Amino acid sequence: MGIEDANVAGFVHGGTVMKLCDEAAALAAVRHSGHGAVTGGVDRMTFLERVEIGDLVTFRATVNAAWRTSMEVGVRVEAERPGTGVVRHTSSAYITMVAIDADGRPTPVPPLLAEAPDELRREREAQTRRDNRLAEREQLRESERTRLSG
Ligand SMILES: CC(C)(COP(=O)(O)OP(=O)(O)OC[C@H]1O[C@@H](n2cnc3c(N)ncnc32)[C@H](O)[C@@H]1OP(=O)(O)O)[C@@H](O)C(=O)NCCC(=O)NCCS
């Protein structure tokens, strides 16, 4: 991370980390689906520790779950201070990517073959986040319907 990525206090902007998470997630989605992918939504972005100028930052993106045309990609961000060997887990992100065809329309993705215990756990947790997101959307719609009907 260079000075152009940071604020005057020497800490890297959250937005810089988010942008790189988004790019890593898109690449994982493209690899899994074999199609282009767009960001459908960011389900969670957590900043655990600050990243500083000079840190070497690594973004590891994994497709956690695949549905009809969308996938949840988890991104783990680690910062290493060169020369010290110290690596810190600084952020985690959960991003929904949607596969698109040549016309930009959502297109089906292959199923995910989760087998290892960690893969199965990540898939279950992704399903919970999706269920919660859809339930919240339905709850907000219902409360708006109730408000409008007096
Ligand atoms: C994301 C997008 C392709 C969805 O298109 P759409 O016409 O709403 O398509 P659908 O309703 O068929 O939804 C397609 C999938 O997207 C998912 N999706 C749509 N909106 C979403 C949201 N806000 N968050 C998470 N997932 C979403 C749906 O759940 C569905 O997934 P599924 O097929 O696995 O069940 C469209 O809204 C779009 O192009 N948005 C702009 C994307 C963008 O510019 N991103 C930033 C730059 S990459």
Side-chain angles (χ1 to χ4, degrees):
M1 290 287 144
I3 48 174
E4 68 281 6
D5 303 309
N7 62 24
V8 289
F11 301 119
V12 171
H13 294 296
T16 299
V17 175
M18 287 169 78
K19 177 175 183 287
L20 292 167
C21 281
D22 188 41
E23 288 180 5
L27 287 167
V30 167
R31 271 186 177 165
H32 177 75
S33 67
H35 293 283
V38 292
T39 312
V42 178
D43 296 298
R44 192 164 309 154
M45 179 81 227
T46 310
F47 296 95
L48 302 164
E49 292 193 28
R50 286 176 289 200
V51 178
E52 297 175 29
I53 292 174
D55 282 348
L56 172 67
V57 183
T58 305
F59 298 78
R60 194 176 310 133
T62 309
V63 174
N64 289 336
W67 295 287
R68 193 180 67 83
T69 66
S70 66
M71 296 147 276
E72 185 196 90
V73 183
V75 186
R76 181 183 171 94
V77 184
E78 290 180 347
E80 177 184 344
R81 178 111 300 240
T84 67
V86 176
V87 178
R88 296 172 298 125
H89 176 201
T90 56
S91 277
S92 285
Y94 297 101
I95 299 176
T96 300
M97 305 297 311
V98 182
I100 50 164
D101 63 18
D103 298 319
R105 282 189 300 258
T107 192
V109 298
L112 190 71
L113 305 174
E115 283 171 352
D118 264 0
E119 293 171 348
L120 291 165
R121 176 184 53 76
R122 284 200 286 264
E123 191 177 43
R124 277 196 307 275
E125 291 175 358
Q127 186 63 52
T128 301
R129 277 185 288 274
R130 176 179 162 103
D131 293 345
N132 288 344
R133 175 165 45 77
L134 294 175
E136 183 190 66
R137 187 174 70 174
E138 193 44 45
Q139 211 178 348
L140 292 173
R141 281 185 183 158
E142 182 56 34
S143 90
E144 192 59 7
R145 275 196 292 270
T146 308
R147 190 183 68 79
L148 290 174
S149 65

